[in-house]
């Protein structure tokens, strides 16, 4: 359920805003309810031949972890533009075509945090990496089977629904083939 | 990585506090980093004979969903006490013994949100449900196999690490038997 229209923004931060409102309870009383809105992000499943791009990434408060290309969506930027920008900045790669895989709330019940996942097909290198002051990134490649196993690595950082889809593909051959077709088909 | 000691609490909410600090970047510059601290919660895997207690729950902003007994830890309350209290309030059941299963950050990198999971063994009904004004709860029971399948229900609400452990048990017989022993052994 989205944050209701009558909610007040009681704090505006850099990536987190806090909202509160009076919520009617089942017994007729009201309680102040509180929710977070987090700056949305986009991740990219980028293919090069029959491989998928996987980053080894390090950030000032986060030791080495595998991830997909991606990052925060800027204010006023649409998710697809953010996905293409992050892919180019973090890897130097550009896609032949890019399409939405999913757009879901990854924050759970009390946190509104929209994660968009894009599939970027047939990528080629057109530039050098161009990293932020808070990024150290090594670009790597893995097979589809290795990609699915990444879900089982507790350090792998991506949208929650994608991790679940990867586990489901590991449990169910039909789902696996559907995911393979979506990414490479 | 926990919120650093020099971080300032810039907003104090009901369940969410916001912290900020100056974070040195790799190029020597600094940026304001922001993190959320969320009120911690406890969930309970409660056994009755060879069944596990599963709730059908409804909240004012959240339609029907399955969950374990559990909820927010009160200020100053220890997680085990909270787990026993929530089990009693939501189900009327009390455990013969209760032990910690896991205590992990369920909020990801930028949100500190400690989820404690307890295993409450050989529960018996000693009281009637005693629900908050914001809860509608029906108590149900499921087998261990049905419990594992709950991980695959997108509406099932519990700590992220437990969902991953349940998926791992579905993928790996040894992990499944270890989880079964932890819960029932």
């Amino acid at each position: 359920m989205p944050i209701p229209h009558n909610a007040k923004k009681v704090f505006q931060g850099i990536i987190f805003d806090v909202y509160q409102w009076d919520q009617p309870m089942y017994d007729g009383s009201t309680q102040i309810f509180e929710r977070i809105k987090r700056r949305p992000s986009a991740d990219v499943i980028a293919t090069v031949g029959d491989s998928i791009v996987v980053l080894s990434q390090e950030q000032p408060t986060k030791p080495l972890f595998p991830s997909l290309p991606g990052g925060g969506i800027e204010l006023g930027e649409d998710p697809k533009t953010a996905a293409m920008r992050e892919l180019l900045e973090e890897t130097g790669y550009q896609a032949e075509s890019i399409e939405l895989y999913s757009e879901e709330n990854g924050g759970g019940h009390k946190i509104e945090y929209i994660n968009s996942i894009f599939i970027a097909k047939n990528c080629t290198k057109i530039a050098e990496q161009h990293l932020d002051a808070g990024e150290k990134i090594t670009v790597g490649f893995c097979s589809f089977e290795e990609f699915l196993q990444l879900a089982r690595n507790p350090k792998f950082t991506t949208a929650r629904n994608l991790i679940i889809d990867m586990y489901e593909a590991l449990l169910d051959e039909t789902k696996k083939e559907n995911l393979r077709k979506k990414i490479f088909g």
Side-chain angles (χ1 to χ4, degrees), chain A:
Chain A
M1 310 271 274
I3 293 167
H5 293 296
N6 63 327
K8 273 186 201 155
K9 192 195 283 185
V10 293
F11 176 81
Q12 174 156 344
I14 301 162
I15 45 177
F16 296 105
D17 299 334
V18 185
Y19 289 80
Q20 291 180 346
W21 71 94
D22 285 322
Q23 175 65 45
M25 297 286 101
Y26 294 124
D27 65 356
S29 64
T30 62
Q31 272 180 30
I32 300 174
F33 267 35
E34 191 175 73
R35 295 285 182 275
I36 295 283
K37 192 180 276 190
R38 178 175 174 168
R39 179 180 152 197
S41 69
D43 270 9
V44 186
I45 302 169
T47 71
V48 177
D50 55 6
S51 295
I52 294 171
V53 176
V54 179
L55 311 182
S56 286
Q57 197 166 163
E58 206 175 323
Q59 292 174 7
T61 61
K62 197 173 178 190
L64 210 60
F65 62 98
S67 81
L68 300 175
I73 298 173
E74 304 292 343
L75 265 181
E77 191 180 39
D78 73 283
K80 195 177 196 168
T81 305
M84 292 189 291
R85 175 182 56 71
E86 288 284 354
L87 177 62
L88 186 62
E89 286 174 3
E90 294 187 335
T91 69
Y93 279 77
Q94 191 181 51
E96 193 178 276
S97 69
I98 186 158
E99 66 196 48
L100 188 66
Y101 170 76
S102 66
E103 186 173 75
E104 294 201 15
N105 181 31
H109 174 41
K110 292 188 169 72
I111 299 173
E112 196 174 301
Y113 174 40
I114 305 301
N115 297 127
S116 300
I117 307 272
F118 289 90
I119 298 176
K121 291 184 180 174
N122 297 320
C123 297
T124 47
K125 194 158 186 217
I126 61 155
E128 292 308 308
Q129 260 187 342
H130 184 76
L131 298 179
D132 291 343
E135 290 177 327
K136 284 184 182 176
I137 290 174
T138 308
V139 178
F141 302 91
C142 69
S143 68
F144 179 66
E145 295 292 338
E146 287 165 340
F147 171 70
L148 294 185
Q149 292 296 330
L150 262 183
R152 309 178 72 181
N153 180 341
K155 289 186 178 170
F156 178 55
T157 304
T158 190
R160 183 189 171 113
N161 71 294
L162 179 58
I163 296 205
I164 296 300
D165 289 352
M166 292 159 78
Y167 265 109
E168 285 293 328
L170 288 169
L171 282 169
D172 181 322
E173 272 303 317
T174 306
K175 288 181 179 173
K176 186 197 264 190
E177 286 320 304
N178 286 342
L179 184 56
R180 193 200 300 272
K181 270 182 211 145
K182 258 192 193 164
I183 295 175
F184 291 102

